Amino acid sequence: MKNILITGGAGFIGSHVVRLFVNKYPHYNIFNLDALTYAGNLANLADIENAPNYTFLKADICDFDAICRIFSQYSIDGVIHLAAESHVDRSIKDPFAFARTNVLGTLSLLQAARLSWGEDVAYKRFYHISTDEVYGALELDSPQPPAPYGREFFREDTAYAPHSPYSASKASSDHFVRAFHDTYGLPIVISNCSNNYGPYQFPEKLIPLFINNICTGKPLPVYGRGENVRDWLYVVDHARAIDRIFHRGTTGSTYNIGGCNEWKNIDLVKLLIRTVDRLLGRPQGSSDHLITYVSDRAGHDLRYAIDSSKLQRELGWQPSLQFEEGLEITVKWYLENTAWLQNITSGDYERYYHDMYANR
């Protein structure tokens, strides 16, 4: 029996990882640790909340004493660490919150794992999930589709060059994880992923926000001229990669996870408009007028592109969907789950879970 602690498991990516592990590994005890901040929603896991191998733990990863008690009480064997502040615009407004959660929270987990496991680390693993944004930005060499839009890609040995408070906080947490491996022998692995999309994503992020805005006729604010390029990864494929790395990755190693799907933001927005309008039975192009160009984000990186060849070569993982296919599935999910989206946009879910756990 393995006791696996998944942090941030009520969030977007975390909920997909929790669901995968609960369903795929009934002989594991899965402990979902989440502080239930604005991005954490237990409704994301309603389908598995009563599974016999699943336990939810409400705690803040920065609360070191609470984390130590959890390691001791539940004999944690492995950690999959996803809990993080992740929205760049929020990091620009409040960098301290990102330093606290992403740096000090990670340090709290590392130290608790080190003290709990001691020298007996033969069957332990601390898996830290990071982002491609720690690498900085790539040049936009090829101005015309099809993608890729340049010759360079982020590889595992690419030098770090973070440009936002968010990416700087994630870079710092990556360094702490590697330092605990080098200094204390903690058995770690790290992965850096590209932009995720799919069901249950909090609607401040581009794809769910714009799906909702197209449905409701609200403006679609595009930074600059929409020339920035991102590599998009379907969240279920990301969860599959996390599973593969957690079980088979080489201790001390880093793996890049990308979708091999580079899109300019403006091209993505136009594809979203076509897809949503078609699925709603609207005439093609009827929502084009919603595109609104706004001042560019401070420190906005031009292009991200991931080289996942190490992961594919060593562990046999590949993305299962092309972007158009994954986007179609994603749009359909949001159109079919309007109650979930309304619950999020109204803030009702925060009040519900705050009241539920207020006296526990």
Side-chain angles (χ1 to χ4, degrees):
M1 182 67 70
K2 289 184 178 292
N3 300 317
I4 311 301
L5 181 69
I6 300 178
T7 72
F12 168 45
I13 300 172
S15 62
H16 286 276
V17 175
V18 168
R19 179 178 295 104
L20 173 63
F21 273 66
V22 167
N23 290 330
K24 186 175 180 179
Y25 301 106
H27 57 293
Y28 288 4
N29 290 316
I30 304 301
F31 298 94
N32 171 14
L33 186 151
D34 201 294
L36 295 183
T37 59
Y38 78 96
N41 184 1
L42 288 176
N44 297 353
L45 293 165
D47 56 319
I48 57 97
E49 64 182 358
N50 295 318
N53 63 331
Y54 171 73
T55 302
F56 173 70
L57 305 171
K58 186 177 185 297
D60 185 342
I61 59 173
C62 295
D63 186 343
F64 179 65
D65 291 338
I67 299 301
C68 287
R69 286 194 298 271
I70 287 169
F71 269 83
S72 175
Q73 180 176 352
Y74 299 107
S75 301
I76 299 300
D77 300 305
V79 177
I80 302 176
H81 176 34
L82 292 123
E85 295 283 352
S86 64
H87 192 52
V88 173
D89 288 345
R90 286 178 181 263
S91 80
I92 294 171
K93 294 178 181 178
D94 186 6
F96 284 98
F98 282 68
R100 178 183 181 274
T101 298
N102 297 352
V103 183
L104 296 180
T106 300
L107 181 57
S108 173
L109 287 163
L110 288 165
Q111 182 73 341
R114 183 178 78 86
L115 295 177
S116 174
W117 297 342
E119 301 297 324
D120 183 19
V121 296
Y123 298 100
K124 313 295 186 186
R125 169 145 288 182
F126 190 105
Y127 180 4
H128 175 65
I129 284 81
S130 188
T131 172
D132 58 357
E133 297 189 41
V134 299
Y135 297 124
L138 297 169
E139 293 297 322
L140 189 61
D141 298 328
S142 175
Q144 299 296 326
Y149 288 88
R151 295 182 296 271
E152 291 186 289
F153 295 86
F154 295 137
R155 295 178 173 83
E156 287 80 3
D157 59 357
T158 298
Y160 277 26
H163 292 152
S164 70
Y166 163 59
S167 57
S169 68
K170 291 299 290 185
S172 178
S173 66
D174 292 4
H175 291 320
F176 268 108
V177 174
R178 292 192 180 95
F180 267 66
H181 174 260
D182 295 345
T183 303
Y184 305 112
L186 196 72
I188 65 97
V189 286
I190 296 175
S191 62
N192 299 79
C193 70
S194 58
N195 284 32
N196 279 226
Y197 72 98
Y200 298 107
Q201 188 169 27
F202 191 80
E204 69 181 357
K205 298 299 179 82
L206 190 153
I207 288 178
L209 173 65
F210 279 28
I211 291 172
N212 191 41
N213 284 11
I214 294 167
C215 290
T216 56
K218 295 179 181 178
L220 307 177
V222 177
Y223 283 125
R225 301 303 300 174
E227 296 295 310
N228 303 76
V229 173
R230 297 294 182 262
D231 175 22
W232 292 91
L233 172 65
Y234 188 53
V235 66
V236 175
D237 283 337
H238 188 192
R240 289 175 44 247
I242 289 171
D243 176 23
R244 194 75 57 98
I245 293 168
F246 180 76
H247 287 98
R248 295 169 51 189
T250 302
T251 298
S253 291
T254 298
Y255 296 89
N256 281 347
I257 312 172
C260 303
N261 284 305
E262 287 186 60
W263 283 76
K264 284 186 179 180
N265 285 347
I266 189 59
D267 295 333
L268 164 60
V269 172
K270 291 178 180 178
L271 176 61
L272 265 177
I273 290 173
R274 292 196 301 271
T275 305
V276 175
D277 281 347
R278 172 171 53 80
L279 292 175
L280 290 177
R282 298 173 178 173
Q284 183 175 341
S286 60
S287 299
D288 288 349
H289 69 283
L290 298 175
I291 296 176
T292 305
Y293 295 99
V294 298
S295 298
D296 207 356
R297 169 195 285 162
H300 199 180
D301 293 329
L302 184 59
R303 172 177 174 251
Y304 302 147
I306 284 276
D307 178 356
S308 297
S309 60
K310 177 182 177 181
L311 176 61
Q312 296 181 34
R313 181 178 65 254
E314 292 189 8
L315 303 183
W317 173 90
Q318 289 188 3
S320 66
L321 298 176
Q322 291 300 310
F323 185 64
E324 295 91 335
E325 182 183 4
L327 192 68
E328 180 97 2
I329 294 171
T330 300
V331 172
K332 286 181 178 178
W333 187 89
Y334 282 100
L335 296 182
E336 293 168 358
N337 290 271
T338 54
W340 180 91
L341 189 59
Q342 174 61 29
N343 198 33
I344 295 290
T345 54
S346 68
D348 289 345
Y349 75 105
E350 283 192 277
R351 290 186 288 273
Y352 175 78
Y353 290 117
H354 177 271
D355 292 343
M356 178 184 292
Y357 289 96
N359 297 315
R360 294 192 181 184

